[in-house]
Amino acid sequence: MSEKEKNQEAQQEEEVVKEEASSVEEESGKEEKETSKRKEKKEKKDKKANEIKELQEKLDAQKDSYMRLAAEYDNYRKRTANEKLSIYNDATAKAVGELLPVADSMQMALQSLKDAPDEVKKGIELVSQQLDKSFEKLKIEAFGEIGDDFNPEIHNAVSKIESEELSENQIAQVFQKGYKIGDKVIRHAMVQVANCD
């Protein structure tokens, strides 16, 4: 082979090597680009996931704050409703406390009307019924009847008696009726208790 042919062959081999190197570089460049694209996609995905996580945390914090505020408001509303009812009951109890001597007088008048004319009896009974209806409208309850069980929270025992007709700790006699509004006692019933120790 002549030198010229050798040079041409060497040039061809060099061109083939350059082409192969070029194609390897292209493939390597493509792989690098794909790797770079994958990396960018992963970074964007991670960034979005972090943003979503931060927004979810903010949303959860806002929900928690809202729920606490709603609970506080509900507690405030219930507390003020109870306070209003308590104030109403206290005011009613105080006003009714001033009327209780009138109710006692009506009871005594009814008991002493045995020989009174019918018109007088009817008049006093009518006034007594009106007073009872007024107490009912104000949600005032009378308590303390003969035969009821003695309860020291609402009854005031002023004497005791032994009785075969009544069982232990039953009310034998009522000297003065008791009155209450709801759970609030306006006046304790003054009673005599049977068979107590």
Side-chain angles (χ1 to χ4, degrees):
M1 244 203 233
S2 71
E3 189 127 337
K4 194 174 182 183
E5 287 177 353
K6 283 183 185 178
N7 280 342
Q8 279 181 346
E9 204 175 295
Q11 274 182 348
Q12 284 177 352
E13 281 181 25
E14 202 174 296
E15 283 177 17
V16 169
V17 169
K18 280 183 184 178
E19 282 178 20
E20 286 178 3
S22 172
S23 72
V24 168
E25 280 181 20
E26 279 180 26
E27 283 182 31
S28 173
K30 284 181 184 177
E31 285 178 18
E32 283 179 18
K33 283 181 182 178
E34 286 179 22
T35 305
S36 175
K37 284 181 183 178
R38 281 190 217 126
K39 229 181 200 180
E40 284 178 21
K41 282 183 181 178
K42 189 175 188 267
E43 285 175 2
K44 284 182 181 179
K45 195 175 182 182
D46 290 346
K47 188 177 180 182
K48 283 184 181 179
N50 286 338
E51 286 176 1
I52 290 171
K53 187 178 177 183
E54 287 176 14
L55 291 173
Q56 187 65 44
E57 287 172 359
K58 286 181 182 178
L59 179 63
D60 290 343
Q62 288 295 324
K63 277 184 183 177
D64 183 55
S65 176
Y66 171 75
M67 295 302 285
R68 288 177 188 268
L69 183 63
E72 285 177 21
Y73 175 72
D74 190 46
N75 290 339
Y76 168 76
R77 188 179 51 77
K78 288 177 184 175
R79 187 174 57 250
T80 53
N82 287 339
E83 286 173 0
K84 284 180 184 177
L85 183 61
S86 175
I87 289 169
Y88 171 79
N89 286 348
D90 289 345
T92 304
K94 189 170 183 177
V96 169
E98 297 298 320
L99 295 174
L100 291 183
V102 176
D104 293 338
S105 297
M106 291 304 298
Q107 291 296 323
M108 285 189 272
L110 285 171
Q111 290 171 358
S112 64
L113 284 177
K114 294 176 185 172
D115 298 331
D118 286 342
E119 294 82 24
V120 174
K121 283 182 185 179
K122 284 183 182 179
I124 292 179
E125 286 173 356
L126 181 63
V127 173
S128 179
Q129 289 171 0
Q130 286 176 336
L131 187 61
D132 290 342
K133 283 182 183 178
S134 296
F135 282 175
E136 190 178 313
K137 284 180 185 177
L138 293 170
K139 298 180 182 172
I140 305 297
E141 294 177 54
F143 61 89
E145 298 290 331
I146 295 173
D148 287 351
D149 289 331
F150 175 73
N151 180 351
E153 293 179 5
I154 61 173
H155 299 116
N156 182 15
V158 292
S159 66
K160 64 180 183 175
I161 189 173
E162 296 299 321
S163 172
E164 293 178 7
E165 297 170 6
L166 297 169
S167 62
E168 187 176 328
N169 287 331
Q170 276 191 327
I171 296 174
Q173 189 174 356
V174 179
F175 300 114
Q176 193 176 53
K177 279 195 169 198
Y179 292 90
K180 65 181 180 175
I181 181 168
D183 292 334
K184 182 180 179 62
V185 175
I186 300 170
R187 181 177 76 186
H188 292 78
M190 198 179 303
V191 297
Q192 182 182 55
V193 183
N195 306 323
C196 66
D197 294 327

